[in-house]
């Protein structure tokens, strides 16, 4: 594959990043997808739309999030200078709100009167329920029954925020099934409803739109690192489920080819075990949820269940732009296991006083692997994309502690 | 292409002055042998065109009944290769009833588009309905399938307005499948008047036969649709007869095939009672 002149021109007008992406949806949804695309293109060129996003980012979400030098972890690893982009400090506790704000402002512009969403860990569901409360729109969140059981605090938060949480029992009762049921809802309610997809996946224009909303993360890092160190970082690390926090950090740096970029997938019980959520490492290209991308699937093209201790990474696919960045080699994709993530969750608590979500704990596991061998002037930025309060029950159970 | 089984069948229906019955069953539900037994008996029971579902783990446009049917088939070891085998076995005894495979793109993409088209033609498949391939993705499968002589049957829906309809009809052949409701399969039914209006609208844009489905459950409803459309499609209600025939441990019970075939015969009687004006 040839190296493109720019890594940031995609997708094309049909929503393709190289071979990936596209619009693989039922005819009932197709006119709506086109309507969303048209509305988003119009909004992008309307200064008042961006002004609204900026206003709520500053006064409601709490942006910019800090770029924090993790001094004790840096000392512990004994190599690269480790910085955290603190998106876990956002209102609602993760990067998810960046995207939800952009989409609900679009839904309002389109005159939609009802919001639906899917959620895995519950972070996207909480963020969606939050903006629905803020803008007074009814909210229905589809969540796998398995995830409901392991993310009880977030389920209750969504209900407090006024959302209806619908348990999904079809399939395996996890994120992919929640997305199936959200799409089924949308097919039945196309006229009134806007579907706020939580990650940079799904049919065009969602992957590009979600990436645009999350790119605020990387844009801030550029400025903040210039301020802190007078230059750009040497490397970036982020965890990947669907991959929206990672793309948000990576995208503004893709054309800075000296910046080394690494995405960390969830290896669950280990790639050889087959029980993991590493679509790039352990999957192959296929078509699901409206886009072509790497998927965990059987020889017959049936979608396999993903496994990760982190509900937010427990998805058998990945955003199409990541599949493209993988194939052209601009971003390196690796994985970290449940056990490694759990170790780094605890390490981060003890050394930095930060409870990371289990999702970025996977990113930290990779940082722990590479930082010791990097020079001390190497600037590494890891996206701390969510806080771990929601995960304390899961972690306690994994550690055999009753609380 | 020379006249296909689908074209011959719809021409015959027209000369009989009646609408047809299109049945949907899932290949391999609840197991290969039982599903094949049902398939073989559908033409005598009165199915004019057969839609055979290719099971998929994530059928996004289907309601609970057809989702469950697909999972039963997959649990029993069904694969796309076996679905093609089933069509081939069927063709050994029946060379006239059109068979249209219906499903989602990923299993075909995984199989390999070119090999799939070749194998489907060799098995005796007449057409494809691939739910998640809209006209915007025609270069994936629709164009090569059409070029090879497989009909690509497309869904049109209430959201497909007059501006979009020509795009949907381009590259569609065999018949157009009008989904009479906005929603997933098996949830609700459209009124007779709504169906009549929709068929009239479609006929302004195409000479192709129009089959109407989603939500048809009774012989009376099938008759009502067949009176105004070229065919009525029944899926969920048939698949539910399969489920009703399962024994408590989930395998095919002794009366399963008779239950399904008898129900299809009642639908066929309904359709045949409705003369077109």
């Amino acid at each position: 594959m040839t190296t493109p002149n720019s890594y940031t021109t995609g997708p094309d007008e049909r929503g393709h990043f190289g071979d990936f992406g596209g619009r693989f949806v039922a005819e009932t949804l197709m006119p709506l997808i086109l309507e969303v695309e048209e509305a988003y293109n119009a909004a992008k060129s309307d200064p008042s739309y961006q002004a609204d996003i900026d206003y709520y980012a500053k006064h409601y979400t709490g942006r910019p999030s800090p770029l924090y030098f993790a001094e004790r972890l840096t000392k512990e690893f004994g190599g690269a200078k480790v910085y955290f982009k603190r998106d876990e400090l956002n209102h609602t506790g993760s990067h998810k709100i960046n995207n939800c704000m952009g989409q609900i402002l679009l839904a309002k512009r389109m005159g939609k009167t009802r919001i639906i969403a899917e959620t895995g860990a519950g972070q996207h569901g909480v963020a969606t329920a939050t903006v629905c409360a803020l803008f007074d729109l009814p909210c229905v969140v589809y969540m796998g029954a398995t995830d409901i059981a392991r993310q009880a605090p977030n389920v209750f938060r969504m209900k407090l925020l006024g959302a209806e949480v619908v348990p999904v029992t079809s399939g395996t009762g996890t994120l992919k099934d929640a997305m199936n049921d959200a799409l089924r809802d949308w097919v039945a309610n196309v006229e009134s409803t806007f579907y706020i997809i939580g990650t940079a996946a799904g049919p065009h224009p969602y992957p590009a739109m979600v990436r645009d909303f999350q790119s605020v993360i990387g844009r801030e890092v550029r400025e903040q690192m210039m301020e802190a160190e007078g230059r750009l970082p040497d490397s970036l690390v982020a965890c990947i489920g669907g991959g929206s926090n990672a793309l948000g950090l990576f995208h503004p740096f893709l054309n800075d080819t000296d910046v080394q970029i690494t995405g960390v997938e969830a290896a669950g019980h280990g790639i050889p075990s087959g029980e993991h959520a590493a679509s790039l490492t352990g999957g192959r290209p296929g078509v699901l949820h409206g886009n072509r991308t790497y998927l965990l699937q059987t020889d017959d093209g049936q979608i396999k269940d993903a496994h990760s201790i982190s509900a937010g990474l427990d998805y058998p696919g990945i955003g199409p732009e990541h599949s493209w960045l993988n194939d052209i080699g601009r971003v390196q994709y690796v994985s970290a296991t449940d056990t490694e993530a759990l170790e780094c969750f605890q390490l981060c608590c003890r050394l930095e006083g930060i409870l990371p979500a289990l999702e970025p704990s996977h990113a930290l596991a990779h940082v722990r692997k590479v930082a010791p061998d990097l020079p001390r002037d190497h600037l590494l930025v890891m996206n701390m994309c969510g806080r771990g309060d929601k995960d304390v029950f899961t972690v306690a159970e994994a550690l055999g502690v009753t609380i | 292409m020379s006249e296909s089984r689908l074209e011959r069948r719809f021409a015959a229906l027209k000369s009989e002055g009646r609408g047809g019955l299109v049945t949907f069953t899932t290949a391999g539900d609840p197991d290969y042998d039982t599903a094949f037994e049902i398939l073989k008996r559908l033409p005598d029971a009165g199915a004019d065109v057969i839609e055979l579902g290719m099971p998929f783990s994530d059928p996004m446009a289907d309601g609970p009944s057809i989702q469950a049917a697909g999972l039963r088939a997959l649990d029993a070891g069904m694969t796309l290769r076996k679905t093609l085998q089933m069509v081939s076995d069927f063709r050994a005894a029946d060379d006239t009833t059109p068979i249209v495979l219906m499903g989602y793109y990923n299993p075909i993409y995984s199989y390999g588009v070119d090999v799939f088209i070749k194998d489907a033609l060799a098995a005796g498949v007449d057409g494809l309905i691939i739910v998640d391939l809209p006209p915007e993705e025609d270069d994936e499968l629709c164009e090569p399938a059409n070029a090879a002589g497989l009909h690509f049957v497309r869904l049109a829906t209430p959201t497909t307005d007059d501006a979009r309809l020509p795009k949907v009809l381009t590259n569609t052949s065999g018949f157009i499948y009008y989904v009479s409701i906005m929603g997933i399969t098996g949830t609700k039914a459209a009124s007779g008047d709504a169906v009549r209006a929709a068929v009239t609208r479609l006929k302004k844009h195409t000479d192709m036969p129009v089959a109407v489905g989603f939500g048809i459950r009774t012989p009376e409803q099938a008759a009502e649709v067949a009176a105004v459309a070229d065919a009525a499609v029944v899926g969920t209600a048939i698949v539910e007869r399969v489920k009703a025939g399962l024994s408590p441990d989930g395998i095919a019970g002794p009366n399963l095939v008779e239950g399904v075939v008898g129900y299809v015969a009642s639908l066929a009687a309904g359709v045949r009672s409705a003369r077109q004006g």
Side-chain angles (χ1 to χ4, degrees):
Chain A
M1 197 172 291
T2 53
T3 307
N5 296 323
S6 166
Y7 293 98
T8 53
T9 53
D12 67 16
E13 71 283 359
R14 294 174 60 201
H16 292 138
F17 301 92
D19 291 337
F20 301 101
R23 288 179 288 216
F24 297 88
V25 296
E27 175 58 26
T28 316
L29 284 182
M30 200 58 223
L32 198 68
I33 298 283
L34 295 171
E35 189 193 342
V36 171
E37 183 186 357
E38 197 180 324
Y40 180 56
N41 286 337
K44 270 197 297 192
S45 54
D46 179 351
S48 74
Y49 177 66
Q50 190 56 49
D52 283 348
I53 290 178
D54 293 346
Y55 173 86
Y56 287 104
K58 181 175 178 190
H59 298 285
Y60 191 74
T61 304
R63 301 210 72 91
S65 67
L67 182 69
Y68 164 73
F69 172 42
E71 197 169 357
R72 293 197 65 204
L73 275 172
T74 296
K75 198 178 281 178
E76 167 83 9
F77 297 148
K81 225 173 156 179
V82 177
Y83 279 86
F84 287 161
K85 177 59 172 166
R86 302 284 310 270
D87 253 52
E88 101 280 14
L89 293 177
N90 293 339
H91 179 47
T92 73
S94 80
H95 68 290
K96 294 291 188 186
I97 188 95
N98 304 329
N99 167 47
C100 289
M101 194 61 80
Q103 288 200 46
I104 202 159
L105 288 168
L106 184 64
K108 294 280 281 187
R109 283 175 67 100
M110 293 173 73
K112 298 295 178 183
T113 55
R114 176 175 176 268
I115 300 292
I116 58 171
E118 86 295 338
T119 197
Q123 293 302 93
H124 174 59
V126 167
T128 305
T130 298
V131 295
C132 286
L134 180 65
F135 292 102
D136 192 25
L137 287 174
C139 177
V140 177
V141 178
Y142 289 89
M143 186 167 184
T146 310
D147 290 335
I148 286 181
R150 60 180 171 175
Q151 298 288 342
N154 270 344
V155 175
F156 187 55
R157 287 166 79 194
M158 285 184 268
K159 288 179 180 170
L160 287 172
L161 291 161
E164 180 192 347
V165 181
V166 181
V168 175
T169 52
S170 61
T172 52
T174 58
L175 181 53
K176 83 173 172 78
D177 308 295
M179 198 151 177
N180 289 336
D181 269 16
L183 285 164
R184 289 175 185 127
D185 179 313
W186 207 21
V187 168
N189 299 288
V190 282
E191 272 157 19
S192 65
T193 300
F194 189 97
Y195 179 14
I196 298 189
I197 294 181
T199 193
H204 178 63
Y206 280 94
M209 185 164 73
V210 175
R211 175 202 70 200
D212 292 348
F213 296 140
Q214 294 296 358
S215 291
V216 66
I217 298 171
R219 287 197 305 271
E220 287 175 6
V221 168
R222 284 184 81 92
E223 280 181 28
Q224 291 167 321
M225 193 55 101
M226 287 304 290
E227 198 175 310
E229 301 276 357
R231 64 184 181 90
L232 293 182
D234 296 299
S235 60
L236 307 173
V237 179
C239 65
I240 305 218
S244 69
N245 92 82
L247 262 187
L249 174 63
F250 299 168
H251 197 261
F253 291 96
L254 289 177
N255 289 327
D256 301 292
T257 49
D258 289 342
V259 180
Q260 203 182 33
I261 305 181
T262 306
V264 186
E265 296 190 292
H269 295 147
I271 305 291
S273 74
E275 294 182 358
H276 60 81
S279 322
L280 289 174
T281 314
R284 60 192 166 85
V287 173
L288 179 71
H289 294 155
N291 59 157
R292 177 171 16 238
T293 192
Y294 277 81
L295 299 172
L296 302 179
Q297 54 184 318
T298 67
D299 291 343
D300 187 43
Q302 308 298 333
I303 307 306
K304 289 208 288 197
D305 299 327
H307 168 81
S308 170
I309 190 170
S310 152
L313 304 182
D314 204 349
Y315 180 67
I318 183 168
E321 194 165 5
H322 284 295
S323 292
W324 177 69
L325 291 168
N326 175 73
D327 280 15
I328 61 171
R330 174 62 187 100
V331 177
Q332 177 198 14
Y333 293 89
V334 298
S335 61
T337 63
D338 287 354
T339 306
E340 291 168 326
L342 267 173
E343 288 166 6
C344 289
F345 177 96
Q346 297 169 80
L347 188 68
C348 191
C349 292
R350 283 202 312 275
L351 291 187
E352 294 292 348
I354 295 172
L355 267 72
L358 282 169
E359 291 80 10
S361 299
H362 287 74
L364 188 57
H366 181 70
V367 173
R368 186 178 64 167
K369 277 176 214 162
V370 298
D373 297 327
L374 292 168
R376 282 163 196 265
D377 61 354
H378 181 103
L379 305 178
L380 185 156
V381 178
M382 189 201 99
N383 198 13
M384 182 59 76
C385 60
R387 69 180 80 136
D389 306 56
K390 70 182 172 64
D391 292 318
V392 292
F393 297 100
T394 307
V395 171
E397 194 188 322
L399 299 177
V401 177
T402 309
I403 50 174
Chain B
M1 70 185 97
S2 60
E3 203 174 53
S4 67
R5 287 188 198 93
L6 263 175
E7 287 160 338
R8 282 196 295 270
R9 179 55 49 95
F10 276 105
L13 288 169
K14 192 166 195 176
S15 64
E16 287 175 44
R18 68 174 178 93
L21 174 66
V22 181
T23 60
F24 172 95
T25 52
T26 297
D29 171 32
D31 60 72
Y32 186 98
D33 292 343
T34 309
F36 182 54
E37 190 61 30
I38 293 169
L39 186 66
K40 278 192 298 189
R41 293 184 56 186
L42 286 173
D44 282 346
D48 296 301
V49 174
I50 292 173
E51 278 180 23
L52 190 60
M54 299 175 281
F56 181 49
S57 53
D58 292 78
M60 284 166 296
D62 284 303
S65 297
I66 292 180
Q67 290 173 40
L71 290 181
R72 285 195 296 269
L74 292 174
D75 286 346
M78 202 60 189
T79 61
L80 184 50
R81 194 168 298 281
K82 288 182 187 170
T83 299
L84 294 175
Q85 183 61 48
M86 189 177 284
V87 176
S88 181
D89 292 349
F90 175 87
R91 279 282 169 253
D94 184 324
D95 197 34
T96 54
T97 308
I99 292 193
V100 177
L101 294 183
M102 182 164 185
Y104 296 79
Y105 184 40
N106 196 56
I108 294 172
Y109 181 70
S110 171
Y111 193 100
V113 165
D114 293 341
V115 191
F116 171 78
I117 290 171
K118 185 166 84 53
D119 291 357
L121 281 168
V125 172
D126 301 289
L128 304 172
I129 303 176
I130 309 300
V131 177
D132 52 355
L133 283 178
E136 281 73 8
E137 304 291 351
D138 266 359
D139 52 348
E140 294 282 337
L141 176 63
C142 172
E143 287 167 11
N146 273 335
L150 269 180
H151 288 292
F152 200 83
V153 174
R154 195 106 60 188
L155 306 177
T157 75
T159 59
T160 315
D161 61 18
D162 284 339
R164 182 166 169 81
L165 204 46
K167 189 172 179 100
V168 169
L169 292 168
T170 305
N171 294 338
T172 298
S173 66
F175 63 97
I176 182 103
Y177 182 164
Y178 183 69
V179 174
S180 58
I181 54 145
M182 286 186 281
I184 52 179
T185 50
T187 43
K188 50 192 174 184
S191 71
D193 286 349
V195 170
R196 186 182 296 273
V199 172
T200 306
R201 179 167 78 92
L202 286 169
K203 291 283 186 186
K204 279 186 201 151
H205 290 268
T206 180
D207 296 330
M208 258 184 293
V210 176
V212 175
F214 278 43
I216 300 172
R217 295 185 164 272
T218 66
E220 293 71 31
Q221 285 173 319
E224 197 180 8
V225 168
V228 297
D230 297 295
V233 187
V234 185
T236 296
I238 297 175
V239 163
E240 284 171 358
R241 290 303 190 288
V242 174
K243 187 183 176 198
L246 296 174
S247 62
D249 52 0
I251 59 169
N255 302 317
L256 189 152
V257 174
E258 292 306 326
V260 173
V261 171
Y263 175 64
V264 170
S266 73
L267 293 169
V271 163
R272 282 167 170 75
S273 73
R275 298 297 299 184
Q276 289 187 318

